[in-house]
Amino acid sequence: MPLPWNTRQAGARPRQQHGARWASPLAAAAAVGALLLVSLPPSSADPTVPGTDWGPRGSMVSDTAATVAWDNTDNAPESTVPRGNQQQLPHTAGKTYDDVDQRLRDSATRAFGPGNGLGGLSMSVSQTRNLQNQSVTVSFTGADPAAGSNGASTSYLQVFQCWGKPGTDNKPDPAANEPDPSTCQFGATGLDGDISSTAHQRSLLNDPLVRGGDWEAPDPSSPTMNLPAPFQAVTGEETRITDGFNLSEYRNPFFSRTSTNEFSRFMSSEQGAGSRTFEVQSGAEASGMGCGYRPDAPSVAKCWLVAVPRTAAMDAVLPAGPLAPSLWAMRLQVPLHFQDVAAVCPTDQAATLSVGSEALSAAMKSWIPAVCDTKKFTLGFSPLADLQARTQLQQPDTLAFITRPAAGDLNALYVPTALAGVVVAMTIDNACTAAFTQYTLADCGYQDKAEWEADKARSAGLVRDLKLNARLLAKLLTQSYVQHTAPASAVEAPFTKPGSTAYGQPMTFSIQNDPEFRALNPKGLGSSGNLSPPVVEGLRSDAASAVWDWLLNDKDSRAFLNGCPDPSGMTINPFYSTRTYSECQERATELDQQAARKVAETKTPDGFTYARQSYPSEGAAYPQVYWAQKQAVMAGDGSIAEPALTVGDQYSRVQDMAAAAQNTVRAQPASTTSWCADCSPPAYKSVARQGYGSRSILSITDAASAAKFQLPTAQLCNVSGSQCIGATASSLQAAAGQFEPTGTPGAMRPANVPDYTTAYPLTLPIYGVVNLASVSQTQAATFAQLFSYISTEGQKTGFRSGMLPPGYAPLTPALLQLAAAGIQTLQGIQGPQQAAAATTDLMPMESVSGANVVPAVLAPAAPAAAAAEVVPAAAPAAAPAAAAAVPSRTAATSSAWPQYTLVIGLVAALASAAAAPLLARGRRR
């Protein structure tokens, strides 16, 4: 039974009922074929289909956006906050809005009411239903800028998330039509906050409305003030600071400055407007709020986004935090409806386990509950390193999702499931659009103020048009800028000293000083000059292999990795160089002497053994050379006060691509270089998140994770930048049309020569793979049911459970035809002894037609001990004729996806998996 503290929204729509079972395998095949004919997914972004407009800009349109007005015009009942005695203020012993200080009410009305000359304050939230841990866009208009003495706007919003309202039994009230301020995650100070400012804390100060209420508790250190507002977690546990200090990141067990999603000071522009992305958090990220229903822990299905608008004039009257009743009375509120975090299928259903590519995780999170609803079996999915997933195909009845074919003579059936992409995601504050000064045109590349204003309106404060070619990404991944050589000092690695010509061409200081980068990005770059190497995963993934394939198939990038200079004379950090100079043999002797001297005169760490690099790396997704370190700090008694700081500390690897995306949206560098002397024991800890206005972080992640967090992504270009392409549904589908054979039936790889005009080069087709030589009849039928869902309803892009999440491209008609053929093959399996003959009935690859696409997966994985060489591609297959796309229908799916994962029992071979298993189940009937 669910725990008693779990709440669902009253009046939630009923669960879907199970559909009828397939009458027979033949009926299933017929149904699949019919659905493919009438419900093919859209081939490109369609403004009428929510979620299809994902792409490099990072923003999307959903079908559950909400707009609320400060004066409540047209507000829904749950978003109405009366500005009169109808608004009773919690914790004040029955006081109302009319009891708020007249000066505060008058100031708020002038700044935010409909008579302010700008139509009055309104706030929009881009998505309010089917939420998980993701980003939404919060924007506002119509606020009086209330310019201060320096002419800048002083109006701002404080935005945060609350879990709801406790009932009389101190448990969440599912029928509450407003949140309680005690349930709000605020006070650790956001990236734009000042921890010393009482307005950015949970402070109540001397708010007169607190007197007589249950929050009244004089501060012992200042009896005229009150203690900060308590925080009540969804579990019922209450935290309140009793010594008068701020409820800060060091004091609250439920949230800190590293984890909080609050905005302390969301400023308005000169036009009284603003827009930002806001990280919505489920119970997995914010246990104190527990947003997203789960049956095994306190949770709520509905949470709230709250914004408290303020001006400098209001702060002069009461500089308390936004939870103080007099300021809370000014709030706007929007309910946030979350997907279920976990649910359970009927216990009589057998579990079907699958493993595979992390790039499919977001899709599986959406598909699994719908598969349970419609196909009546429990599906588990465990993300694994792709090499490990391929090895699991040797086990009977195994289903693996991979992007490169398995090695050996495996009798495998490849069924296409999704088109994914690898992207360079970013959070870079565009300092160029922060303010127009006398230097803006010269420094940022704008022709005039009109162009600057247009860019400011378009970018919403972020860099959204970053362009990278393969060589630039290679430079970022190899610590080839002076700025990236920390923790090495110029003494320990003298060739990194800025301006030094002792070793030939001096190192370029930063990417923004690189002429190649500036040629591709001539304007509006903001703080991109501070870019560190991208945050990357430690998981050995095919996604990382695809990145290296792209870098090595580009002759200019490959030449740089081999030690050849770029046109401006910049060379690779020698510790990352192959030193083969294959593309610049006429200078090989000179360049190698320089590289050898750089290596020889660098004070490398004890125990370090130098070896020339080879790519792609056999030992890591992204190679990291521990070539330099900051030496240990010694105490007076000769002991070590601080241990040595290594390259691995400076640029740590994260678990997977999803974690890399989360670091990016939070502006959290993957560095553990902050020395904590007070820790027990003392140690290096993660560095602080970058402050709002100076965020500058890149990551290599998957397109679905980037879309979920609304992260802008870089466009990938040819070396000159004359042709560039970003990851979109259309560009992923176009890339599929240019895949080339790998030699394995049904498996393809991207073209060696990218087409930057239409096709995104880092496209990852993901196949469900079954070993026909060992699959049982029962499991083959189950897999067929799964693929029938994935290839029909599961290809319709949208935000609801069961749909294809933004960040993927729907399968092309050609891939859908191959999926239908694979389903029919599985339905005909009678047992392992007949599996060998089954592949002879597969549709020949040459016969697949309909969308200028051939069935595909990426290049085959090299054996573990294979040399890291670039294998020339086979000749491209002839492209089949194009066919007209059939409009899609809206999928009828359930409304929630289990985000939490239940640990599943896997076979012993899975016990060493690098990633934690994901098992999601359908709903209890």
Side-chain angles (χ1 to χ4, degrees):
M1 294 294 293
L3 297 180
W5 286 26
N6 293 23
T7 64
R8 292 184 184 272
Q9 179 185 4
R13 73 178 179 86
R15 302 290 184 193
Q16 289 184 317
Q17 300 299 314
H18 282 306
R21 294 184 182 273
W22 293 110
S24 68
L26 290 178
V32 169
L35 281 173
L36 292 183
L37 290 176
V38 300
S39 61
L40 293 178
S43 61
S44 60
D46 182 345
T48 66
V49 181
T52 61
D53 57 338
W54 64 271
R57 285 188 48 75
S59 57
M60 290 180 294
V61 175
S62 85
D63 53 355
T64 61
T67 299
V68 295
W70 189 81
D71 69 343
N72 297 306
T73 300
D74 298 327
N75 285 7
E78 287 187 319
S79 294
T80 297
V81 183
R83 309 299 175 197
N85 59 15
Q86 306 99 318
Q87 184 191 164
Q88 291 199 352
L89 299 173
H91 311 291
T92 65
K95 299 182 181 69
T96 72
Y97 184 87
D98 286 346
D99 294 310
V100 175
D101 188 301
Q102 186 70 46
R103 293 172 298 171
L104 285 175
R105 286 185 286 148
D106 289 346
S107 180
T109 300
R110 286 193 300 270
F112 310 122
N116 67 357
L118 295 172
L121 173 65
S122 66
M123 179 181 72
S124 296
V125 181
S126 64
Q127 184 182 344
T128 61
R129 290 186 177 272
N130 304 305
L131 294 167
Q132 52 182 313
N133 178 220
Q134 63 177 88
S135 291
V136 298
T137 299
V138 177
S139 55
F140 68 93
T141 59
D144 183 350
S149 58
N150 63 354
S153 171
T154 63
S155 293
Y156 65 102
L157 269 64
Q158 295 182 300
V159 184
F160 42 92
Q161 187 176 335
C162 312
W163 63 256
K165 187 174 186 178
T168 56
D169 58 357
N170 208 37
K171 299 174 183 177
D173 178 5
N177 58 8
E178 64 180 5
D180 187 283
S182 67
T183 72
C184 299
Q185 183 168 275
F186 186 90
T189 65
L191 300 182
D192 56 350
D194 177 0
I195 201 169
S196 67
S197 171
T198 53
H200 300 176
Q201 302 171 8
R202 298 181 75 87
S203 59
L204 301 175
L205 295 183
N206 57 351
D207 185 349
L209 300 192
V210 175
R211 296 169 191 163
D214 62 333
W215 274 6
E216 184 175 24
D219 180 346
S221 65
S222 180
T224 61
M225 304 297 179
N226 275 283
L227 293 176
F231 174 73
Q232 181 169 335
V234 70
T235 59
E237 182 179 346
E238 183 174 287
T239 300
R240 192 175 196 183
I241 301 304
T242 59
D243 57 9
F245 289 97
N246 174 42
L247 187 65
S248 73
E249 59 178 312
Y250 305 107
R251 317 294 294 279
N252 192 314
F254 293 101
F255 60 94
S256 67
R257 194 171 192 184
T258 299
S259 65
T260 188
N261 57 355
E262 67 198 79
F263 289 150
S264 301
R265 191 173 175 82
F266 181 3
M267 295 294 295
S268 71
S269 66
E270 297 173 1
Q271 292 76 37
S275 180
R276 287 187 186 178
T277 54
F278 178 86
E279 183 196 355
V280 175
Q281 295 182 346
S282 73
E285 299 74 39
S287 61
M289 289 192 290
C291 299
Y293 173 79
R294 56 179 299 185
D296 59 340
S299 59
V300 289
K302 179 182 70 177
C303 287
W304 300 81
L305 185 142
V306 173
V308 174
R310 307 178 65 156
T311 66
M314 296 170 64
D315 290 352
V317 176
L318 182 61
L323 307 183
S326 294
L327 296 168
W328 177 258
M330 307 299 172
R331 74 189 182 281
L332 299 99
Q333 62 188 39
V334 175
L336 303 175
H337 301 271
F338 279 75
Q339 297 176 359
D340 285 3
V341 168
V344 181
C345 271
T347 55
D348 60 348
Q349 293 184 4
T352 296
L353 306 182
S354 63
V355 299
S357 173
E358 59 173 321
L360 194 64
S361 293
M364 291 297 278
K365 286 180 180 180
S366 178
W367 290 337
I368 285 173
V371 167
C372 179
D373 278 346
T374 61
K375 303 302 180 185
K376 296 188 177 180
F377 66 85
T378 298
L379 175 66
F381 176 69
S382 180
L384 292 181
D386 294 88
L387 180 62
Q388 290 176 303
R390 281 187 283 274
T391 65
Q392 298 311 307
L393 287 169
Q394 303 296 335
Q395 303 294 327
D397 289 338
T398 295
L399 173 61
F401 292 91
I402 57 180
T403 64
R404 295 176 182 240
D409 297 326
L410 191 68
N411 188 12
L413 172 69
Y414 291 83
V415 181
T417 59
L419 287 171
V422 187
V423 296
V424 180
M426 56 189 170
T427 296
I428 304 173
D429 286 318
N430 193 340
C432 283
T433 61
F436 189 85
T437 71
Q438 58 182 321
Y439 308 107
T440 299
L441 297 183
D443 291 348
C444 298
Y446 299 111
Q447 294 183 359
D448 50 36
K449 188 175 183 180
E451 185 181 8
W452 172 82
E453 289 175 341
D455 191 38
K456 180 178 181 179
R458 177 191 54 79
S459 68
L462 292 175
V463 172
R464 298 184 185 272
D465 291 315
L466 193 71
K467 296 178 180 179
L468 296 174
N469 61 30
R471 183 163 53 200
L472 284 169
L473 185 57
K475 293 174 180 178
L476 288 169
L477 290 171
T478 57
Q479 289 182 265
S480 292
Y481 295 106
V482 171
Q483 192 179 60
H484 299 169
T485 57
S489 69
V491 173
E492 294 164 328
F495 76 90
T496 68
K497 183 177 181 180
S500 172
T501 58
Y503 304 89
Q505 179 77 18
M507 286 185 72
T508 303
F509 181 77
S510 70
I511 191 170
Q512 199 165 6
N513 298 124
D514 189 338
E516 184 171 30
F517 179 79
R518 291 163 62 183
L520 266 63
N521 301 276
K523 68 181 63 173
L525 296 176
S527 55
S528 58
N530 299 321
L531 286 174
S532 292
V535 177
V536 296
E537 64 177 339
L539 191 69
R540 293 283 303 279
S541 69
D542 285 350
S545 298
V547 171
W548 287 108
D549 284 350
W550 178 57
L551 297 180
L552 294 169
N553 285 331
D554 180 275
K555 65 180 182 63
D556 299 290
S557 170
R558 185 175 64 249
F560 183 80
L561 293 170
N562 287 339
C564 298
D566 75 355
S568 67
M570 178 179 174
T571 55
I572 189 173
N573 180 330
F575 288 92
Y576 284 90
S577 176
T578 69
R579 291 173 64 181
T580 62
Y581 314 104
S582 302
E583 296 78 13
C584 54
Q585 283 296 312
E586 71 282 359
R587 295 189 59 190
T589 300
E590 167 201 357
L591 292 167
D592 198 55
Q593 289 175 347
Q594 292 175 359
R597 184 181 172 193
K598 291 175 183 179
V599 170
E601 296 185 8
T602 296
K603 187 181 185 304
T604 56
D606 293 340
F608 174 82
T609 300
Y610 169 73
R612 300 186 184 193
Q613 287 297 302
S614 63
Y615 298 99
S617 172
E618 295 179 18
Y622 297 93
Q624 188 171 54
V625 182
Y626 287 72
W627 61 281
Q629 68 181 26
K630 177 184 176 183
Q631 297 303 312
V633 176
M634 309 303 293
D637 60 0
S639 63
I640 297 177
E642 295 180 23
L645 189 63
T646 71
V647 170
D649 298 317
Q650 185 73 25
Y651 304 118
S652 303
R653 295 335 192 194
V654 297
Q655 178 178 337
D656 51 28
M657 292 191 293
Q662 188 173 67
N663 277 57
T664 308
V665 76
R666 293 183 175 183
Q668 177 67 66
S671 299
T672 54
T673 57
S674 179
W675 179 249
C676 180
D678 296 329
C679 293
S680 183
Y684 285 110
K685 299 293 184 181
S686 297
V687 299
R689 293 164 68 180
Q690 296 170 344
Y692 198 88
S694 59
R695 296 173 299 173
S696 184
I697 186 169
L698 294 176
S699 67
I700 296 179
T701 185
D702 60 293
S705 293
K708 182 176 74 168
F709 288 114
Q710 296 196 5
L711 292 168
T713 58
Q715 298 177 58
L716 303 185
C717 308
N718 62 4
V719 67
S720 67
S722 60
Q723 296 177 344
C724 298
I725 189 75
T728 64
S730 296
S731 65
L732 265 59
Q733 289 182 320
Q738 301 177 12
F739 287 155
E740 300 172 349
T742 64
T744 298
M748 305 286 284
R749 64 176 161 200
N752 268 0
V753 180
D755 172 11
Y756 293 103
T757 60
T758 60
Y760 186 69
L762 295 181
T763 298
L764 291 178
I766 304 175
Y767 277 59
V769 185
V770 179
N771 185 351
L772 297 178
S774 63
V775 67
S776 67
Q777 179 182 12
T778 300
Q779 281 295 67
T782 299
F783 295 158
Q785 291 184 63
L786 171 62
F787 292 136
S788 72
Y789 181 87
I790 289 176
S791 59
T792 53
E793 297 299 298
Q795 292 302 307
K796 296 171 183 176
T797 302
F799 297 94
R800 287 179 290 150
S801 177
M803 303 184 79
L804 186 69
Y808 296 97
L811 294 176
T812 60
L815 295 179
L816 288 170
Q817 287 181 23
L818 187 63
I823 292 167
Q824 289 178 316
T825 297
L826 290 169
Q827 290 168 342
I829 294 294
Q830 299 300 313
Q833 69 278 8
Q834 297 185 12
T839 53
T840 63
D841 298 326
L842 289 178
M843 182 185 301
M845 289 171 51
E846 292 79 4
S847 69
V848 178
S849 62
N852 195 31
V853 175
V854 289
V857 295
L858 292 180
E869 297 288 339
V870 180
V871 181
V886 180
S888 65
R889 298 180 300 174
T890 301
T893 61
S894 50
S895 62
W897 144 246
Q899 282 192 59
Y900 280 94
T901 58
L902 305 177
V903 177
I904 61 177
L906 293 175
V907 293
L910 297 185
S912 62
L918 266 171
L919 175 61
R921 301 177 179 234
R923 298 177 184 79
R924 187 180 300 280
R925 303 302 187 273

